[in-house]
Coordinates of all heavy atoms in Angstrom, one line a residue:
G320 N -32.7 -57.2 0.6 CA -32.8 -56.8 -0.7 C -31.6 -56.7 -1.5 O -30.5 -57.3 -1.2
T321 N -31.7 -56.0 -2.6 CA -30.7 -55.9 -3.5 C -30.4 -54.4 -4.0 O -31.3 -53.6 -4.2 CB -30.9 -56.7 -4.9 OG1 -31.2 -58.0 -4.5 CG2 -29.8 -56.5 -5.9
W322 N -29.0 -53.9 -3.9 CA -28.7 -52.7 -4.5 C -28.6 -52.8 -6.0 O -27.8 -53.6 -6.5 CB -27.4 -52.2 -3.9 CG -27.3 -52.0 -2.4 CD1 -27.0 -52.9 -1.4 CD2 -27.6 -50.7 -1.8 NE1 -27.1 -52.2 -0.2 CE2 -27.4 -50.9 -0.4 CE3 -28.0 -49.5 -2.3 CZ2 -27.6 -49.9 0.6 CZ3 -28.2 -48.5 -1.3 CH2 -28.0 -48.6 0.0
V323 N -29.3 -51.8 -6.7 CA -29.2 -51.9 -8.2 C -28.6 -50.5 -8.5 O -29.2 -49.5 -8.6 CB -30.6 -52.0 -8.8 CG1 -30.4 -52.0 -10.3 CG2 -31.1 -53.3 -8.4
F324 N -27.3 -50.6 -8.8 CA -26.5 -49.3 -8.9 C -26.7 -48.8 -10.5 O -26.8 -47.5 -10.7 CB -25.1 -49.5 -8.6 CG -24.9 -49.8 -7.2 CD1 -24.4 -51.1 -6.9 CD2 -25.1 -48.9 -6.2 CE1 -24.1 -51.4 -5.5 CE2 -24.9 -49.3 -4.8 CZ -24.5 -50.5 -4.5
N325 N -26.7 -49.7 -11.3 CA -27.0 -49.4 -12.8 C -27.4 -50.7 -13.4 O -27.5 -51.9 -12.7 CB -25.7 -48.7 -13.4 CG -24.5 -49.5 -13.0 OD1 -24.3 -50.7 -13.5 ND2 -23.5 -48.8 -12.5
R326 N -27.5 -50.7 -14.7 CA -27.8 -51.9 -15.4 C -26.7 -53.0 -15.4 O -27.0 -54.1 -15.6 CB -28.2 -51.6 -16.9 CG -29.4 -50.7 -17.0 CD -29.8 -50.6 -18.5 NE -31.1 -49.8 -18.6 CZ -32.3 -50.4 -18.5 NH1 -32.4 -51.7 -18.3 NH2 -33.4 -49.7 -18.6
E327 N -25.5 -52.6 -15.1 CA -24.4 -53.5 -15.1 C -24.0 -54.0 -13.8 O -23.3 -55.0 -13.6 CB -23.2 -52.9 -15.9 CG -23.2 -52.8 -17.4 CD -24.1 -51.6 -17.7 OE1 -24.1 -50.6 -16.9 OE2 -24.9 -51.6 -18.7
E328 N -24.4 -53.2 -12.7 CA -23.9 -53.5 -11.4 C -24.9 -53.6 -10.4 O -25.8 -52.6 -10.2 CB -22.9 -52.3 -10.9 CG -22.3 -52.6 -9.7 CD -21.0 -53.4 -9.7 OE1 -20.2 -53.4 -10.7 OE2 -20.8 -54.3 -8.8
S329 N -25.0 -54.7 -9.6 CA -26.0 -54.8 -8.5 C -25.3 -55.7 -7.4 O -24.4 -56.5 -7.8 CB -27.4 -55.6 -9.0 OG -27.0 -56.8 -9.5
R330 N -25.8 -55.6 -6.2 CA -25.1 -56.3 -5.1 C -26.4 -56.7 -4.1 O -27.2 -55.9 -3.9 CB -24.2 -55.4 -4.3 CG -23.0 -55.1 -5.2 CD -21.9 -56.2 -5.2 NE -20.7 -55.6 -5.7 CZ -19.7 -55.1 -5.1 NH1 -19.8 -54.9 -3.9 NH2 -18.6 -54.6 -5.7
N331 N -26.2 -57.9 -3.6 CA -27.1 -58.1 -2.4 C -26.7 -57.2 -1.3 O -25.6 -56.8 -1.2 CB -26.8 -59.7 -1.9 CG -27.4 -60.6 -2.8 OD1 -28.4 -60.4 -3.7 ND2 -26.9 -61.8 -2.7
W332 N -27.7 -56.9 -0.4 CA -27.6 -55.8 0.5 C -26.2 -56.0 1.5 O -25.6 -55.0 1.8 CB -28.9 -55.8 1.5 CG -28.8 -56.9 2.5 CD1 -29.4 -58.2 2.3 CD2 -28.4 -56.9 3.8 NE1 -29.3 -58.9 3.5 CE2 -28.7 -58.2 4.4 CE3 -27.8 -55.9 4.6 CZ2 -28.3 -58.4 5.8 CZ3 -27.4 -56.2 5.9 CH2 -27.7 -57.3 6.5
D333 N -25.9 -57.3 1.8 CA -24.9 -57.5 2.8 C -23.5 -57.8 2.1 O -22.5 -58.2 2.7 CB -25.2 -58.7 3.7 CG -25.5 -60.0 3.0 OD1 -25.6 -60.0 1.7 OD2 -25.5 -61.0 3.7
R334 N -23.5 -57.5 0.7 CA -22.2 -57.8 0.1 C -21.3 -56.6 -0.1 O -20.2 -56.6 -0.5 CB -22.5 -58.3 -1.3 CG -23.1 -59.7 -1.3 CD -22.2 -60.7 -0.6 NE -22.8 -62.1 -0.5 CZ -22.3 -63.1 0.2 NH1 -21.3 -62.9 1.0 NH2 -22.9 -64.3 0.3
L335 N -21.8 -55.4 0.3 CA -21.0 -54.2 0.3 C -20.2 -54.2 1.5 O -20.5 -54.4 2.6 CB -21.9 -53.0 0.4 CG -22.7 -52.6 -0.8 CD1 -23.7 -51.4 -0.6 CD2 -21.9 -52.3 -2.0
Q336 N -18.8 -54.0 1.3 CA -17.9 -54.0 2.4 C -17.1 -52.7 2.5 O -17.2 -51.8 1.6 CB -16.9 -55.2 2.0 CG -17.4 -56.6 1.9 CD -18.2 -57.0 3.1 OE1 -17.7 -56.6 4.2 NE2 -19.2 -57.7 3.0
N337 N -16.3 -52.7 3.6 CA -15.5 -51.4 3.8 C -14.3 -51.4 3.0 O -13.2 -51.5 3.6 CB -15.3 -51.2 5.3 CG -14.5 -50.0 5.7 OD1 -14.8 -49.0 5.0 ND2 -13.9 -50.1 6.8
T338 N -14.4 -51.3 1.7 CA -13.2 -51.4 0.8 C -13.4 -50.1 -0.1 O -14.5 -49.6 -0.4 CB -13.2 -52.6 -0.1 OG1 -14.3 -52.6 -0.8 CG2 -13.1 -53.9 0.9
P339 N -12.3 -49.5 -0.5 CA -12.3 -48.4 -1.4 C -13.3 -48.5 -2.6 O -14.0 -47.6 -2.9 CB -10.9 -48.3 -1.9 CG -10.1 -48.7 -0.8 CD -10.8 -49.9 -0.3
P340 N -13.2 -49.7 -3.3 CA -14.2 -49.8 -4.5 C -15.6 -49.8 -4.2 O -16.4 -49.1 -4.8 CB -13.8 -51.1 -5.1 CG -12.4 -51.4 -4.7 CD -12.3 -50.8 -3.3
D341 N -15.9 -50.5 -3.0 CA -17.3 -50.5 -2.6 C -17.8 -49.1 -2.1 O -18.9 -48.7 -2.2 CB -17.6 -51.6 -1.5 CG -17.7 -52.9 -2.1 OD1 -17.4 -53.1 -3.3 OD2 -17.9 -54.0 -1.4
I342 N -17.0 -48.4 -1.2 CA -17.2 -47.2 -0.7 C -17.5 -46.1 -1.9 O -18.4 -45.4 -1.9 CB -16.2 -46.6 0.2 CG1 -16.2 -47.4 1.5 CG2 -16.4 -45.1 0.4 CD1 -14.9 -47.1 2.4
R343 N -16.6 -46.2 -3.0 CA -16.8 -45.4 -4.1 C -18.1 -45.6 -4.8 O -18.9 -44.8 -5.3 CB -15.6 -45.6 -5.0 CG -15.5 -44.5 -6.2 CD -14.3 -44.8 -7.1 NE -13.1 -44.7 -6.2 CZ -12.4 -45.8 -6.0 NH1 -12.6 -46.9 -6.6 NH2 -11.3 -45.7 -5.4
L344 N -18.4 -47.0 -5.0 CA -19.7 -47.4 -5.6 C -20.9 -46.9 -5.0 O -21.8 -46.3 -5.6 CB -19.7 -49.0 -5.7 CG -20.9 -49.6 -6.5 CD1 -20.9 -49.3 -8.0 CD2 -20.8 -51.1 -6.2
L345 N -21.0 -47.0 -3.6 CA -22.2 -46.6 -2.9 C -22.2 -45.1 -2.9 O -23.2 -44.5 -3.0 CB -22.1 -47.2 -1.5 CG -23.3 -46.9 -0.7 CD1 -24.7 -47.3 -1.3 CD2 -23.3 -47.6 0.8
S346 N -21.1 -44.5 -2.7 CA -21.0 -43.0 -2.6 C -21.6 -42.4 -3.9 O -22.3 -41.5 -3.8 CB -19.6 -42.4 -2.3 OG -19.1 -43.0 -1.1
D347 N -21.0 -42.9 -5.0 CA -21.4 -42.3 -6.4 C -22.9 -42.5 -6.4 O -23.6 -41.5 -7.0 CB -20.7 -43.0 -7.5 CG -19.2 -42.7 -7.5 OD1 -18.9 -41.7 -6.8 OD2 -18.5 -43.3 -8.2
Y348 N -23.4 -43.5 -6.1 CA -24.9 -43.9 -6.2 C -25.8 -42.9 -5.4 O -26.7 -42.3 -5.9 CB -25.1 -45.4 -6.0 CG -26.6 -45.8 -5.7 CD1 -27.3 -45.9 -7.0 CD2 -27.2 -46.0 -4.6 CE1 -28.7 -46.4 -6.9 CE2 -28.5 -46.4 -4.5 CZ -29.2 -46.6 -5.7 OH -30.5 -47.0 -5.6
L349 N -25.4 -42.9 -4.1 CA -26.2 -41.9 -3.2 C -26.1 -40.5 -3.6 O -27.0 -39.7 -3.5 CB -25.7 -42.1 -1.8 CG -25.9 -43.6 -1.2 CD1 -25.3 -43.6 0.2 CD2 -27.4 -43.9 -1.1
V350 N -24.8 -40.0 -3.9 CA -24.6 -38.7 -4.4 C -25.5 -38.4 -5.6 O -26.0 -37.3 -5.7 CB -23.1 -38.4 -4.6 CG1 -23.0 -37.1 -5.4 CG2 -22.4 -38.3 -3.3
R351 N -25.5 -39.3 -6.5 CA -26.3 -39.1 -7.8 C -27.7 -38.9 -7.4 O -28.5 -38.1 -8.1 CB -26.0 -40.3 -8.7 CG -26.7 -40.1 -10.1 CD -26.1 -41.2 -11.1 NE -26.6 -42.5 -10.7 CZ -25.8 -43.4 -10.2 NH1 -24.5 -43.2 -10.1 NH2 -26.2 -44.7 -10.0
L352 N -28.2 -39.8 -6.6 CA -29.6 -39.6 -6.2 C -30.0 -38.3 -5.6 O -31.1 -37.7 -5.8 CB -30.1 -40.8 -5.3 CG -30.1 -42.2 -5.9 CD1 -30.3 -43.3 -4.8 CD2 -31.2 -42.3 -7.0
V353 N -29.1 -37.9 -4.7 CA -29.3 -36.6 -3.9 C -29.2 -35.4 -4.9 O -29.9 -34.4 -4.9 CB -28.4 -36.5 -2.7 CG1 -28.5 -35.1 -2.2 CG2 -28.7 -37.5 -1.7
R354 N -28.2 -35.6 -5.8 CA -27.9 -34.4 -6.7 C -29.1 -34.3 -7.7 O -29.5 -33.1 -8.0 CB -26.7 -34.9 -7.5 CG -26.3 -33.8 -8.6 CD -25.3 -34.4 -9.5 NE -25.9 -35.5 -10.3 CZ -25.1 -36.4 -10.9 NH1 -23.7 -36.4 -10.8 NH2 -25.8 -37.3 -11.6
D355 N -29.6 -35.3 -8.2 CA -30.7 -35.3 -9.3 C -32.0 -34.9 -8.8 O -32.9 -34.8 -9.7 CB -30.6 -36.5 -10.1 CG -29.3 -36.6 -10.9 OD1 -28.5 -35.6 -11.0 OD2 -29.0 -37.8 -11.4
Q356 N -32.3 -35.1 -7.5 CA -33.7 -35.1 -7.0 C -34.3 -33.7 -7.4 O -35.6 -33.6 -7.7 CB -33.8 -35.2 -5.5 CG -33.0 -34.1 -4.7 CD -33.2 -34.1 -3.3 OE1 -34.4 -34.2 -2.8 NE2 -32.2 -34.2 -2.5
G357 N -33.6 -32.6 -7.3 CA -34.3 -31.4 -7.6 C -34.7 -31.1 -9.1 O -35.4 -30.1 -9.4
V358 N -34.1 -31.9 -10.1 CA -34.5 -31.8 -11.4 C -35.4 -32.9 -11.9 O -35.7 -32.9 -13.2 CB -33.2 -31.7 -12.3 CG1 -32.3 -30.5 -11.9 CG2 -32.4 -33.0 -12.2
R359 N -35.9 -33.7 -11.1 CA -36.7 -34.8 -11.4 C -38.2 -34.2 -11.3 O -38.6 -33.7 -10.3 CB -36.6 -36.0 -10.6 CG -35.3 -36.7 -10.8 CD -35.2 -38.1 -10.2 NE -34.0 -38.7 -10.2 CZ -33.5 -39.4 -11.1 NH1 -34.1 -39.5 -12.2 NH2 -32.3 -39.9 -11.0
S360 N -39.1 -34.6 -12.3 CA -40.5 -34.3 -12.2 C -41.2 -35.5 -11.7 O -40.6 -36.6 -11.5 CB -41.1 -33.9 -13.6 OG -40.8 -35.0 -14.4
G361 N -42.5 -35.4 -11.5 CA -43.2 -36.7 -11.0 C -43.1 -37.7 -12.1 O -43.0 -38.9 -11.7
S362 N -43.2 -37.5 -13.4 CA -43.1 -38.6 -14.4 C -41.6 -39.1 -14.4 O -41.5 -40.3 -14.7 CB -43.3 -38.0 -15.7 OG -42.5 -36.8 -16.1
D363 N -40.7 -38.2 -14.1 CA -39.3 -38.8 -14.1 C -39.2 -39.8 -12.9 O -38.5 -40.9 -13.1 CB -38.2 -37.7 -13.7 CG -38.1 -36.7 -14.8 OD1 -38.1 -37.2 -16.0 OD2 -37.8 -35.5 -14.6
L364 N -39.8 -39.6 -11.8 CA -39.8 -40.6 -10.7 C -40.5 -41.8 -10.9 O -40.1 -42.9 -10.5 CB -40.3 -39.9 -9.3 CG -39.4 -38.8 -8.8 CD1 -40.2 -38.1 -7.6 CD2 -38.1 -39.2 -8.4
D365 N -41.6 -41.6 -11.7 CA -42.4 -42.8 -12.1 C -41.6 -43.7 -13.0 O -41.6 -44.9 -13.0 CB -43.7 -42.4 -12.8 CG -44.6 -41.8 -11.8 OD1 -44.6 -42.1 -10.5 OD2 -45.6 -41.1 -12.3
Q366 N -40.9 -43.0 -13.9 CA -40.0 -43.8 -15.0 C -38.9 -44.4 -14.2 O -38.5 -45.6 -14.5 CB -39.4 -42.8 -15.9 CG -40.4 -42.4 -17.0 CD -39.8 -41.5 -18.1 OE1 -38.6 -40.9 -17.8 NE2 -40.3 -41.4 -19.3
L367 N -38.3 -43.7 -13.2 CA -37.2 -44.3 -12.4 C -37.6 -45.6 -11.6 O -37.0 -46.7 -11.5 CB -36.6 -43.3 -11.4 CG -35.5 -43.8 -10.5 CD1 -34.3 -44.3 -11.2 CD2 -35.1 -42.8 -9.5
R368 N -38.9 -45.4 -11.0 CA -39.4 -46.5 -10.3 C -39.7 -47.8 -11.2 O -39.4 -48.9 -10.8 CB -40.7 -46.2 -9.6 CG -41.3 -47.2 -8.8 CD -42.6 -46.6 -8.1 NE -42.4 -45.7 -7.0 CZ -42.6 -44.4 -7.1 NH1 -43.1 -43.9 -8.2 NH2 -42.3 -43.6 -6.1
A369 N -40.3 -47.5 -12.4 CA -40.5 -48.6 -13.3 C -39.2 -49.2 -13.8 O -39.2 -50.4 -14.0 CB -41.2 -48.0 -14.6
S370 N -38.2 -48.4 -14.0 CA -36.9 -48.9 -14.4 C -36.2 -49.8 -13.4 O -35.7 -50.8 -13.7 CB -36.0 -47.8 -14.9 OG -34.6 -48.2 -15.2
L371 N -36.4 -49.3 -12.2 CA -35.9 -50.0 -11.0 C -36.5 -51.4 -10.8 O -35.8 -52.4 -10.7 CB -35.9 -49.1 -9.8 CG -35.5 -49.9 -8.5 CD1 -34.0 -50.0 -8.5 CD2 -35.9 -49.0 -7.3
N372 N -37.8 -51.3 -11.0 CA -38.6 -52.6 -10.8 C -38.2 -53.7 -11.9 O -38.0 -54.9 -11.8 CB -40.1 -52.4 -10.9 CG -40.5 -51.6 -9.6 OD1 -40.0 -51.8 -8.6 ND2 -41.7 -50.9 -9.7
E373 N -38.1 -53.1 -13.2 CA -37.5 -54.0 -14.2 C -36.1 -54.5 -14.0 O -35.9 -55.7 -14.2 CB -37.5 -53.1 -15.6 CG -37.1 -53.9 -16.8 CD -36.8 -53.1 -18.0 OE1 -37.3 -51.8 -17.9 OE2 -36.4 -53.5 -19.0
Q374 N -35.2 -53.7 -13.5 CA -33.9 -54.1 -13.2 C -33.9 -55.3 -12.1 O -33.2 -56.2 -12.1 CB -33.0 -53.0 -12.8 CG -32.7 -52.1 -14.0 CD -31.9 -50.9 -13.6 OE1 -30.8 -51.1 -13.0 NE2 -32.3 -49.7 -13.8

Side-chain angles (χ1 to χ4, degrees):
T321 304
W322 292 93
V323 181
F324 299 110
N325 51 57
R326 292 186 178 275
E327 290 77 33
E328 184 82 41
S329 63
R330 296 280 186 88
N331 287 338
W332 76 273
D333 59 349
R334 294 303 179 188
L335 287 175
Q336 301 299 328
N337 183 28
T338 62
D341 283 7
I342 292 172
R343 189 178 306 114
L344 181 66
L345 183 58
S346 299
D347 290 346
Y348 174 73
L349 297 177
V350 166
R351 189 167 65 249
L352 291 173
V353 174
R354 180 195 65 200
D355 295 346
Q356 62 172 306
V358 297
R359 292 189 190 279
S360 64
S362 60
D363 288 331
L364 292 175
D365 289 339
Q366 285 184 339
L367 177 61
R368 185 180 287 106
S370 175
L371 178 64
N372 288 335
E373 178 185 353
Q374 292 178 53

